[in-house]
């Protein structure tokens, strides 16, 4: 079968809020430009094609977030979003910020200003994107789900498009009857909006050294569930954030509980991936969070419906790669446009996409797509609220690296000093470099040859669930007859070094039970249940040897998130 | 050869199902959908026949606006055009009603083969194709695994129990209900997806089809849908082996009444 190829003008990779807002804004700007040109006799832009490719089965199926949303960019993009039935759950009605000890919940008498969500909205990003997709499509943007970007196409170092993934490849790499090679999509501008730890973005940033002189990115992993509670118990717009239990003092993060419509409660835990203990398991910590008396009480009589997990780039301003260059722009989480203090990225993603659209319009008008022309994007970002927000919280995550208590003081000072704090501008270390070896935690096995393991946990299937049960609730599916999309560059390291040094932490940090280590015939062997993978990207980030490479599986594979 | 393939849109295979407030079906809020499994194999069978024989494949679906995505998917995979049967009167049809509407549309269109899936993954009646054949006065075959068209006739392979098959000959036009797993489904290519945008989807309602609404009144109704009650019980008997054995015998005799 021959490889398809397609030429478009502008290609967005990943149908998240960043790309969808960007693509739609670009169409609006082109229409406006042409109307003005018509009125003033200026030069109109010829037919411009805009395409968005997405790895999920549908636009929205991989969408997961909190979320409390700052809706300004939505208002700007679609002033009539209410009339069009935007599925916002509720304006924030009740706010609760609490500190959890093992048994108690201490509610903060005031809402600390950075956590104040007055005027913001509780939304399900999943619902919002499933709603927005068709509207964007109607505005004359091609949305192409089930086509993951597998490779960047270059001419020298200039980006000229993306090659999508092959389909119909068997598990040993053989071509099946229905083999269909990936398509080459050529574009004047390729916009990477792949979200956190984008697989193309990662390699592209490496190739062009776009992160030179920047702090390494630090991430957090968010694990969450949607619960259905007895009728009338959930207050839509209820927003609770917690600090403390079950996270150890040296681990960044916290819990959240949001009230949605239709008796649904959104509950989750965010865990910084720059932790030290190799047995840290975000899914397990989340189970402990739900067992806290104050939380368990909320969930009583309810039923867990949906589960999901995803990483969040927390590094902020100083971890941003250079996000423009010859033939490309990087937007949203992929370029670390996220307010890490408020844990809000949706509005930043949307706005960054919309600013990218403005820069692209200028490029189209000038018919120039080089670094100099696309630098305009950076100028626009610097003039917008996006930069202001990033700047104010530029040191937030870093403040937590000496532990929570110190972090709270430092971040409080940062708030007062406009982000500067006591320590000035801070550096970060990449998360996987902070992980400590087992002996640091006195976790070495008593006898040599024994394998260290954390204490087993019991799941009650009422409030707590094991990973496999939870994964079922994420609707995740991959065709089993395909090569694993989790590439382990060197299995020997897993068995010969990692087992003894770190105790194979992949078993713990993966929230979907993808990694197992099997004892077989006296030896240990890693087993990779890739079809469970919820595409959170934790493994690509946290593996201490950096030998796991997450690549896109066959298009359409992955979670089928609903309401998350 | 002109082939009409019926494609039903059903809730995705492992959806989290919740029963609706009336207790007579599932909640449709928060569902995502896909092509009914055996229908997808019907579509593939039709596309392969067309590749061999030439002709036309028409993708037909009945349901609300959302089912257009199923038709579009079929067009992207290679169907030539689509028919979308949509009308508020089609909202709560039983198998007879669905077959009545489909057969009216198929008759108006004309065809050599009408394919449906073996059964739908949601209702599982396995009736639609069979009733449609009856209403059209045409021969039919069910659980079809292979189709070999001849001159004005067909030879089809049917699946029987225990690994047995049956070959049947019949005159064409005919109605076949297709078994899952009989071929390898193709992927929609990017070219196919682009091309699909230009293909026609004809929309037909009660008036266009000239159907008498009264004739569609359901002959069958769902009274109650519920989650099976767990009736299995586990008891642990404690004590010495002799006591356990005695207690077990007593329970088997008096509670479980197996003797
Ligand atoms: C648990 C959690 C809680 C959060 N809470 C909040 C909150 O309360 N408020 C808030 O504002 N923000 C919150 N965020 C952050 C917010 O969700 C993100 O900042 C936002 O979704 C980023 O949008 P994006 O478009 O950049 O990327 P994403 O939303 O990640 O979208 C990227 C899309 O690209 C697709 N994709 C990726 N790679 C490829 C590829 N190679 N080819 C094709 N498609 C690809 C993905 O499938 C996905 O659909 C939270 C995030 C998490 C995980
Ligand atoms: S395999 Fe990696 S990306 Fe997939 S769920 Fe596990 S940690 Fe996340």
């Amino acid at each position: 079968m021959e490889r398809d190829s397609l030429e478009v003008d502008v290609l967005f990779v990943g149908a998240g809020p960043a790309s969808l807002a960007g693509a739609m804004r670009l169409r609006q700007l082109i229409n406006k430009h042409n109307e003005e040109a018509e009125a003033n006799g200026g030069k109109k832009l010829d037919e411009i094609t805009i395409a968005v490719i997405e790895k999920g089965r549908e636009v929205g199926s991989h969408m997961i977030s909190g979320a409390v949303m700052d809706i300004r960019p939505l208002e700007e993009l679609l002033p009539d979003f209410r009339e069009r039935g935007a599925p916002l759950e509720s304006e924030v009605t009740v706010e609760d910020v609490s500190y959890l000890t093992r048994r108690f919940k201490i509610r903060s008498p005031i809402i600390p200003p950075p956590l104040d969500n007055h005027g913001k909205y509780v939304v399900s990003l999943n619902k919002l994107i499933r709603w927005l997709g068709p509207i964007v499509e109607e505005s004359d943007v091609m949305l192409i789900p089930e086509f993951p970007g597998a490779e960047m196409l270059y001419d020298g170092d200039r980006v000229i498009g993306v090659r999508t993934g092959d389909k119909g490849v068997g598990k040993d790499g053989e071509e099946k009857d229905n083999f269909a090679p990936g398509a080459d999509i050529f574009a004047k501008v390729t916009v990477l909006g792949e979200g956190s730890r984008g697989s193309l973005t990662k390699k592209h940033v490496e190739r062009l050294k776009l992160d030179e002189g920047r702090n390494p990115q630090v991430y957090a992993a968010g694990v969450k569930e949607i619960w259905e509670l007895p009728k009338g118990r959930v207050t839509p717009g209820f927003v609770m954030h917690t600090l403390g239990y079950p996270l150890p003092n040296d681990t960044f993060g916290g819990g959240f509980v949001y009230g949605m419509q239709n008796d649904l409660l959104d509950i989750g835990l965010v865990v910084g991936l720059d932790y030290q203990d190799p047995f840290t398991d975000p899914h397990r910590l989340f189970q402990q969070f739900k067992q806290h008396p104050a939380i368990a009480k909320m969930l009583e009589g309810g039923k867990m419906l949906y589960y999901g997990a995803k990483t969040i780039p927390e590094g902020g301003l100083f971890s941003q790669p250079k996000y423009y260059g010859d033939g490309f722009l990087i937007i949203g989480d992929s370029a670390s446009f996220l307010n890490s203090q408020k844990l809000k990225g949706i509005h930043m993603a949307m706005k960054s996409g919309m600013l990218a659209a403005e820069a692209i319009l200028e490029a189209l008008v000038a018919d120039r797509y080089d670094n100099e022309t696309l630098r305009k994007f950076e100028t626009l970002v610097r003039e917008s609220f996006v930069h202001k927000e990033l700047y104010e919280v530029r040191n937030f995550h870093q403040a937590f690296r000496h532990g929570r208590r110190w972090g709270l003081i430092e971040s409080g000072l940062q708030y007062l000093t406009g982000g500067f704090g006591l320590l000035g501008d801070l550096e970060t270390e990449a998360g996987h470099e902070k992980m400590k070896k087992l002996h640091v935690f006195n976790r070495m096995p008593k006898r040599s040859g024994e394998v260290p393991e954390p204490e087993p946990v019991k799941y009650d299937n009422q409030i707590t669930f094991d990973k496999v049960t939870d994964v079922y609730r994420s609707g995740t599916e991959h065709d089993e007859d395909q090569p694993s999309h989790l590439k382990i560059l060197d299995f020997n390291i897993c068995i010969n070094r990692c087992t003894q040094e770190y105790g194979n932490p992949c078993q713990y940090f993966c929230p979907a039970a993808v990694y197992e280590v099997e004892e077989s015939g006296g030896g240990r062997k890693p087993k990779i249940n890739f079809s469970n993978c919820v595409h959170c990207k934790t493994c690509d980030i946290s593996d201490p040897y950096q030998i796991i490479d997450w690549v896109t599986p066959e298009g359409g594979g992955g979670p089928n998130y609903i309401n998350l | 050869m002109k082939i009409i393939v019926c494609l039903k849109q059903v809730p995705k295979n492992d959806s989290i199902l919740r029963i609706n407030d009336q207790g007579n079906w599932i909640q449709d809020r928060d569902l995502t959908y896909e092509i009914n499994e055996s229908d997808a194999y019907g579509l593939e069978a039709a596309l392969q026949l067309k590749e061999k024989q030439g002709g036309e494949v028409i993708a037909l679906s009945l349901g609300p606006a959302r089912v257009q995505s199923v038709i579009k998917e079929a067009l992207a995979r290679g169907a030539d055009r689509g028919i979308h049967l949509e009308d508020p009167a089609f909202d709560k049809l039983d198998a007879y009603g669905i077959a009545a509407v489909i057969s009216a549309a198929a008759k108006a269109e004309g065809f050599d083969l009408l394919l449906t899936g073996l059964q739908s993954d949601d209702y599982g009646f396995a009736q639609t194709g069979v009733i449609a054949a009856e209403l059209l006065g045409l021969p039919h075959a069910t659980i079809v695994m292979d189709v070999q068209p001849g001159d004005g006739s067909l030879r089809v392979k049917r699946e029987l129990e225990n690994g047995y098959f049956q070959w049947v000959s019949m005159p064409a036009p005919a109605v076949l209900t297709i078994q899952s797993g009989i071929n390898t489904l193709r992927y929609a290519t990017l070219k196919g997806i682009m091309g699909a945008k230009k293909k026609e989807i004809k929309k037909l309602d009660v008036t266009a089809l000239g159907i008498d609404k009264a004739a569609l009144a359901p002959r069958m109704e769902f009274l109650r849908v519920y989650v099976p009650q767990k009736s299995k019980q586990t008891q642990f008997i404690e004590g010495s082996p002799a006591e356990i054995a005695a207690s077990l015998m007593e329970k088997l005799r008096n509670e479980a009444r197996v003797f």
Side-chain angles (χ1 to χ4, degrees):
Chain A
M1 205 173 174
E2 234 181 280
R3 189 184 293 289
D4 273 358
S5 80
L6 177 72
E7 270 185 46
V8 300
D9 293 287
V10 184
L11 174 66
F12 288 83
V13 181
S19 292
L20 290 184
M24 181 157 186
R25 177 48 123 213
L26 180 57
R27 180 57 73 203
Q28 291 172 342
L29 291 170
I30 291 169
N31 292 345
K32 189 163 153 248
H33 171 87
N34 284 349
E35 276 165 31
E36 283 171 6
E38 180 126 345
N40 314 330
K43 191 168 174 317
K44 288 214 291 191
L45 286 168
D46 291 336
E47 205 165 294
I48 301 288
T49 43
I50 310 171
V52 185
I53 55 172
E54 164 59 42
K55 63 180 159 67
R57 199 173 71 91
E58 292 169 343
V59 167
S61 50
H62 289 183
M63 280 296 119
I64 172 173
S65 186
V68 176
M69 181 181 167
D70 176 341
I71 63 168
R72 280 175 298 166
L74 179 63
E75 282 171 323
E76 192 188 333
L77 182 70
L78 265 170
D80 60 345
F81 67 98
R82 281 179 212 279
E83 292 74 47
R84 288 171 175 262
L88 307 179
E89 300 295 319
S90 162
E91 192 169 347
V92 172
T93 50
V94 186
E95 287 193 71
D96 176 329
V97 175
S98 290
Y99 186 88
L100 301 185
T101 67
R102 202 183 170 77
R103 294 183 37 218
F104 298 103
K105 169 175 176 294
I106 304 150
R107 184 170 176 169
S108 163
I110 52 146
I111 303 296
L115 287 175
D116 184 354
N117 283 306
H118 187 75
K120 308 282 186 299
Y121 282 75
V122 173
V123 302
S124 149
L125 181 64
N126 188 278
K127 274 200 213 171
L128 195 70
I129 293 300
R130 286 179 186 275
W131 162 83
L132 185 62
I135 294 176
V136 174
E137 198 162 27
E138 243 171 66
S139 80
D140 192 15
V141 170
M142 279 190 278
L143 300 186
I144 316 175
E146 300 195 305
F147 280 81
E151 239 178 275
M152 301 289 276
L153 298 173
Y154 295 96
D155 174 7
D157 277 340
R158 183 169 64 94
V159 177
I160 54 169
V162 164
R163 173 169 294 179
T164 66
D166 293 343
K167 293 178 181 177
V169 178
K171 56 177 177 307
D172 299 316
E174 74 284 9
E175 293 179 9
K176 295 191 273 187
D177 288 353
N178 56 357
F179 174 71
D184 285 343
I185 308 182
F186 297 103
K188 293 171 178 149
V189 187
T190 301
V191 189
L192 295 171
E194 297 179 283
S196 184
R197 190 72 161 197
S199 48
L200 292 181
T201 310
K202 178 176 107 172
K203 297 201 169 102
H204 180 62
V205 167
E206 257 168 39
R207 175 183 169 125
L208 298 187
K209 303 197 174 60
L210 300 173
D211 56 354
E212 216 164 48
R214 318 280 162 121
N215 283 349
Q217 184 59 276
V218 281
Y219 295 87
V223 180
K224 67 178 273 192
E225 288 170 349
I226 305 276
W227 283 63
E228 184 175 39
L229 293 188
K231 278 210 174 349
R233 270 248 298 278
V234 178
T235 311
F238 168 77
V239 167
M240 177 170 124
H241 288 114
T242 70
L243 284 171
Y245 185 82
L247 298 177
N249 176 42
D250 64 13
T251 305
F252 174 87
F256 61 87
V257 182
Y258 303 148
M260 300 166 64
Q261 294 291 338
N262 302 318
D263 307 298
L264 298 185
L265 195 74
D266 181 353
I267 174 164
L269 183 73
V270 173
V271 181
L273 290 177
D274 45 355
Y275 57 74
Q276 301 185 2
D277 180 355
F279 285 165
T280 303
D281 180 336
H283 173 272
R284 182 178 174 152
L285 287 164
F286 175 52
Q287 306 310 310
Q288 289 169 356
F289 174 62
K290 288 185 290 174
Q291 282 173 312
H292 187 278
I295 307 294
K297 200 163 150 238
M298 290 183 172
L299 298 177
E300 220 170 62
K303 188 168 175 273
M304 189 268 286
L305 294 180
Y306 308 107
Y307 169 78
K310 189 160 183 276
T311 53
I312 307 165
E314 294 263 354
L317 187 65
F318 297 132
S319 297
Q320 288 199 286
K322 173 173 175 274
Y323 43 71
Y324 61 90
D326 291 328
F328 77 89
L329 295 174
I330 314 177
I331 59 176
D333 277 8
S334 288
S336 195
F337 283 112
L338 183 133
N339 181 330
S340 58
Q341 180 192 55
K342 300 191 170 148
L343 202 105
K344 284 195 183 64
I346 303 174
H347 68 298
M348 304 283 272
M350 290 182 75
K351 185 70 189 181
S352 68
M354 291 157 73
L355 295 170
E358 286 184 38
I360 296 169
L361 179 79
E362 282 197 16
L364 288 167
V365 171
D367 197 23
R368 286 187 50 178
Y369 312 95
D370 57 352
N371 184 65
E372 282 314 302
T373 315
L374 292 173
R375 167 175 291 166
K376 177 73 189 205
F377 176 41
E378 190 191 48
T379 316
L380 291 166
V381 167
R382 286 186 182 274
E383 290 162 359
S384 73
F385 76 75
V386 172
H387 182 76
K388 186 162 171 281
E389 265 193 62
L390 285 175
Y391 188 75
E392 277 167 8
V393 303
R394 66 194 179 279
N395 286 316
F396 179 70
H397 190 104
Q398 294 89 304
F400 279 79
R401 70 177 170 167
H402 300 293
R404 186 161 58 224
R405 249 155 248 139
W406 176 239
L408 284 175
I409 297 167
E410 170 66 17
S411 66
L413 283 172
Q414 283 173 11
Y415 180 74
L416 295 175
T417 57
F420 194 73
L422 198 60
L423 304 173
D425 286 349
L426 302 173
E427 286 177 7
T428 56
E429 296 157 81
H432 67 272
E433 284 166 8
K434 279 189 82 179
M435 195 188 287
K436 297 274 190 297
K437 294 191 176 157
L438 288 166
H439 63 82
V440 178
F441 290 87
N442 267 333
R443 289 238 175 90
M444 291 308 282
K446 304 219 168 38
R447 268 170 292 152
S448 77
E450 260 181 31
V451 176
E453 270 170 11
E455 276 164 37
V457 231
K458 266 191 126 171
Y459 301 96
D460 63 12
N461 279 320
Q462 300 279 326
I463 289 206
T464 55
F465 305 93
D466 63 12
K467 288 181 184 175
V468 174
T469 309
D470 261 334
V471 170
Y472 176 72
R473 297 272 162 176
S474 67
T476 300
E477 251 179 11
H478 292 86
D479 187 340
E480 301 258 353
D481 189 12
Q482 66 174 303
S484 166
H485 65 282
L486 300 147
K487 307 288 179 207
I488 313 289
L489 307 179
D490 185 354
F491 273 116
N492 290 325
I493 294 188
C494 304
I495 299 307
N496 298 338
R497 282 184 61 193
C498 189
T499 305
Q500 291 307 316
E501 290 181 349
Y502 294 100
N504 299 116
C506 52
Q507 304 170 85
Y508 311 116
F509 57 58
C510 170
V514 168
Y515 298 96
E516 280 176 323
V517 184
E518 274 182 335
E519 304 278 344
S520 66
R524 283 165 64 81
K525 211 175 92 224
K527 179 168 174 237
I528 300 168
N529 310 305
F530 70 86
S531 53
N532 278 358
C533 174
V534 298
H535 297 197
C536 73
K537 314 282 178 77
T538 304
C539 53
D540 193 288
I541 295 163
S542 288
D543 152 38
Y545 304 95
Q546 293 291 291
I547 53 169
I548 302 179
D549 189 25
W550 189 100
V551 302
T552 47
E554 185 173 295
N560 180 25
Y561 286 145
I562 294 166
N563 276 333
L564 283 150
Chain B
M1 196 172 207
K2 184 170 176 183
I3 309 172
I4 301 180
V5 196
C6 301
L7 302 168
K8 183 173 187 180
Q9 190 186 44
V10 292
K12 204 171 152 9
N13 193 312
D14 46 10
S15 298
I16 308 293
L17 300 179
R18 286 179 284 162
I19 290 169
N20 68 8
D21 290 343
Q22 301 87 289
N24 60 4
W25 193 233
I26 52 170
Q27 274 186 24
D28 54 10
R29 191 172 63 226
D30 301 338
L31 287 180
T32 58
Y33 297 89
E34 64 186 350
I35 298 185
N36 183 51
E37 189 183 10
S38 51
D39 300 5
Y41 289 94
L43 171 66
E44 181 61 36
L47 294 171
Q48 291 185 7
L49 280 170
K50 181 187 133 180
E51 275 164 4
K52 278 193 226 120
Q53 309 268 322
E56 189 184 24
V57 174
I58 302 166
L60 176 148
S61 189
L62 180 153
R66 63 172 154 77
V67 312
Q68 287 232 352
S69 69
V70 164
I71 302 178
K72 283 185 189 148
E73 201 173 322
L75 297 178
R77 288 195 204 171
D80 299 282
R81 55 196 173 90
I83 297 181
H84 178 201
L85 308 175
E86 185 189 15
D87 195 294
F90 300 164
D91 267 1
K92 294 219 160 52
L93 299 181
D94 59 7
Y96 176 86
I98 295 172
V101 179
I102 289 178
S103 56
K107 192 167 183 174
E109 185 62 49
F111 60 89
D112 300 307
L113 262 187
L114 177 65
L115 303 185
T116 70
L118 166 65
Q119 62 183 21
S120 59
D121 299 339
D122 52 359
Y123 294 129
F125 292 144
Q127 287 293 304
T128 307
V130 182
I131 301 175
E134 250 349 272
L135 293 172
L136 289 160
L138 291 178
H140 75 262
T142 54
I143 332 182
V144 169
M145 304 184 65
D146 195 4
V147 187
Q148 296 182 352
D151 212 6
S153 69
L154 296 169
R155 238 167 74 81
V156 304
K157 182 181 173 186
R158 297 187 57 230
E159 183 176 327
L160 304 180
E161 294 294 312
N162 293 327
Y164 281 89
F165 305 113
Q166 179 187 49
W167 282 94
V168 196
S169 297
M170 56 172 72
V175 182
L176 306 176
T177 78
I178 304 288
Q179 170 68 305
S180 284
I182 61 162
N183 47 36
T184 314
L185 303 181
R186 72 190 61 197
Y187 297 95
T189 59
L190 198 56
K191 269 221 171 69
I193 294 170
M194 297 301 137
K197 294 189 197 307
K198 292 180 211 107
K199 292 180 182 170
E200 175 206 24
I201 301 179
K202 188 156 65 181
K203 272 174 79 165
L204 298 172
D205 58 9
V206 177
T207 333
L209 290 165
I211 296 176
D212 173 14
K213 272 191 210 173
L216 297 178
R219 287 153 175 73
M220 205 193 72
E221 178 187 359
F222 280 98
L223 297 180
R224 188 160 91 92
V225 170
Y226 61 97
V227 179
Q229 300 294 315
K230 262 203 199 121
S231 54
K232 207 169 72 184
Q233 267 184 27
T234 310
Q235 285 183 20
F236 288 96
I237 305 173
E238 290 180 17
S240 70
E243 286 164 0
I244 292 175
S247 167
L248 178 65
M249 283 305 287
E250 198 267 336
K251 282 178 194 294
L252 288 176
R253 191 169 284 136
N254 298 328
E255 286 178 32
R257 292 177 200 276
V258 290
F259 306 120

